[in-house]
Amino acid sequence: MNAATQTRASAPVLAIDPFAREFMDDPYPHFEAMREAGPVLWSPKYECYVVARHEDVQRVLSEWQTFSSAAGVGLANFNKEKPWRPPSIVLEADPPLHTRTRTVLARTMTPGVVRALRERFEREAEILVDRVLDMGTFDAVRDFAERYPTKVFPDALGLPEKGRENLLPYGNMVFNSFGPRNELTEAAFANAENVRGWIMANCAREALTKDGLGAMIYAAVDSGELNEDEAGMLVRSFLSAGVDTTVNAFGNMMWCLATFPDQWAKLREKPELARNAFEESLRYEGPAQAFFRTTTKETEIGGVKIDANEKICAFMQSANRDAARWDNADTFDIERKVVGHMGLGTGIHGCVGQPIARLEGEAVFAALARKAKSIELAGTPTRHYNNVLRAFATLPVRVTRR
């Protein structure tokens, strides 16, 4: 038995497949079993370690010097295999490269920039809510969750309107690629060349408006902070991170409000709770399930020694339901003090677009709380399966106006 085999043998074995549809249908009992089994588990099927407790997930996602993103934030180890696309120079990079690129992106997310977007976002939220209230019964995925983020965020970025139907397939490709090469990945890549071609062409400087967030990124080329290729990669990274997760977060929150009428009643009475309610939905039913890191050196988690160049899967959504971190962790409570959830990641690689995601969530659900009287499920939802995202494919909802 070599050293690597010995260290792996010291961790409890994860017998269940976290990328199987049975797991995705209801992961929470499995998350609880994973947390109870130990601080770190070994998956022989995927040859990676797994952490599921809040304390350990936070450490793995925060200590970039030991748990690197540069070898990929998915199961694939870029130290051993070539990635399907050039690695992201912000999500799949560590300092100093990450510091340089994140600094550029941070300028597009300042409080002043976000404030300037608020009026437009709130106006579009009113339009969306009035539309679904007029419909009465609607699909909260197609007619609600997909419609708003694929409008306001690409508008803010300066993306052309024609061809935006490629946005969700592109995100589905990106996020599925973080998992194993299974049937979900194969299906997501069925039209890869056409989708990727549109993304590449429309994230170029000449395709973007002169006054959007994309133009702000390309301005860093003119100042010498980035080259042209790097700017294009940052626009693409921004786009892939800023649409799918928000779409899925909207669907998940609508499900929460339709499923927990007492919490909907609280929000209806106090629309100012919309921001915190959105945060709680990210904790309770967050779209981002897991990301991976790669060890840069021998380390230890919970007494288990882990060699260098080992993959670790950090289940953020399990951390979000960890009873050691949250009182009544399996209860949806929009008045909860929810600081510390992992719905948007944590550490230097936390979601770069989170100020905009929060603005979107606050705008839409505050408008819904002001205008809607009732929300209820109008049928049985169906699940959209993705290797690292939790989402609905359909979500029939019935609403009435105040």
Side-chain angles (χ1 to χ4, degrees):
M1 183 181 292
N2 61 35
T5 303
Q6 288 177 332
T7 57
R8 293 165 179 173
S10 65
V13 171
L14 176 65
I16 193 166
D17 182 354
F19 300 105
R21 296 193 180 202
E22 295 77 13
F23 183 100
M24 296 176 186
D25 283 333
D26 186 11
Y28 297 108
H30 305 301
F31 286 153
E32 184 176 6
M34 289 157 61
R35 293 191 299 268
E36 291 179 352
V40 60
L41 292 76
W42 170 251
S43 171
K45 180 178 178 66
Y46 297 110
E47 296 189 333
C48 71
Y49 290 94
V50 173
V51 291
R53 297 176 180 177
H54 188 280
E55 177 183 5
D56 302 309
V57 170
Q58 186 173 47
R59 180 190 167 202
V60 168
L61 295 183
S62 299
E63 293 182 12
W64 63 267
Q65 299 93 335
T66 302
F67 307 102
S68 170
S69 296
V73 297
L75 179 60
N77 187 338
F78 296 170
N79 295 331
K80 299 178 180 179
E81 59 184 282
K82 184 179 179 180
W84 67 276
R85 56 168 171 73
S88 165
I89 56 175
V90 60
L91 181 64
E92 296 164 324
D94 292 324
L97 173 59
H98 177 273
T99 304
R100 177 165 64 88
T101 56
R102 183 87 181 208
T103 298
V104 172
L105 288 179
R107 287 202 292 270
T108 70
M109 291 289 108
T110 63
V113 171
V114 175
R115 278 196 302 272
L117 294 172
R118 178 175 286 276
E119 182 180 352
R120 187 195 317 171
F121 279 32
E122 290 179 342
R123 182 174 64 250
E124 291 293 340
E126 297 277 337
I127 293 171
L128 173 72
V129 170
D130 281 334
R131 182 178 180 276
V132 297
L133 285 170
D134 287 343
M135 295 173 70
T137 301
F138 61 97
D139 180 353
V141 175
R142 182 190 65 241
D143 302 317
F144 178 84
E146 290 182 356
R147 183 172 290 266
Y148 185 82
T150 58
K151 166 64 176 171
V152 298
F153 185 70
D155 281 356
L157 196 60
L159 203 71
E161 286 196 23
K162 186 178 180 180
R164 287 188 185 179
E165 64 274 8
N166 290 289
L167 292 173
L168 293 176
Y170 180 67
N172 198 41
M173 285 166 50
V174 170
F175 285 101
N176 267 311
S177 72
F178 294 147
R181 293 175 181 171
N182 55 15
E183 71 281 359
L184 295 176
T185 309
E186 291 179 5
F189 277 75
N191 193 33
E193 289 307 313
N194 290 336
V195 171
R196 189 160 43 190
W198 184 90
I199 293 290
M200 294 285 287
N202 287 277
C203 289
R205 188 200 291 245
E206 58 271 17
L208 301 169
T209 62
K210 305 297 184 184
D211 59 351
L213 304 180
M216 293 177 66
I217 294 172
Y218 275 101
V221 177
D222 303 328
S223 65
E225 296 169 89
L226 301 172
N227 63 45
E228 197 81 11
D229 287 343
E230 288 174 331
M233 291 179 72
L234 285 189
V235 174
R236 292 194 295 276
S237 293
F238 213 1
L239 193 59
S240 60
V243 177
D244 276 60
T245 49
T246 311
V247 166
N248 297 337
F250 273 33
N252 291 355
M253 180 161 174
M254 184 64 91
W255 177 86
C256 288
L257 295 177
T259 304
F260 300 102
D262 60 323
Q263 298 304 303
W264 163 244
K266 287 182 184 179
L267 183 59
R268 189 184 60 210
E269 293 304 311
K270 294 182 178 180
E272 63 271 20
L273 287 174
R275 171 71 173 265
N276 200 70
F278 186 60
E279 297 283 350
E280 170 67 350
S281 74
L282 291 172
R283 182 202 70 84
Y284 182 80
E285 191 72 3
Q289 298 291 285
F291 279 117
F292 289 76
R293 297 292 188 264
T294 307
T295 53
T296 60
K297 58 188 177 183
E298 184 181 291
T299 188
E300 184 177 294
I301 299 177
V304 176
K305 288 184 178 181
I306 300 175
D307 291 335
N309 206 28
E310 294 278 10
K311 277 287 176 177
I312 299 181
C313 179
F315 273 103
M316 293 111 69
Q317 193 51 34
S318 174
N320 284 342
R321 294 287 195 100
D322 188 348
R325 174 62 178 81
W326 312 98
D327 292 334
N328 301 313
D330 291 325
T331 298
F332 178 65
D333 179 4
I334 68 169
E335 295 179 301
R336 180 192 300 274
K337 293 181 180 179
V338 75
V339 174
H341 72 77
M342 300 287 173
L344 297 169
T346 191
I348 66 170
H349 292 93
C351 176
V352 68
Q354 56 188 281
I356 284 186
R358 289 184 164 112
L359 174 58
E360 291 182 57
E362 180 183 2
V364 167
F365 289 101
L368 187 69
R370 289 192 302 268
K371 291 173 173 285
K373 178 181 179 181
S374 64
I375 299 174
E376 60 183 7
L377 294 179
T380 302
T382 60
R383 185 117 338 253
H384 171 70
Y385 295 100
N386 182 287
N387 279 322
V388 298
L389 295 180
R390 182 161 174 79
F392 290 101
T394 64
L395 182 62
V397 169
R398 184 180 300 108
V399 293
T400 59
R401 193 182 291 273
R402 280 184 185 251

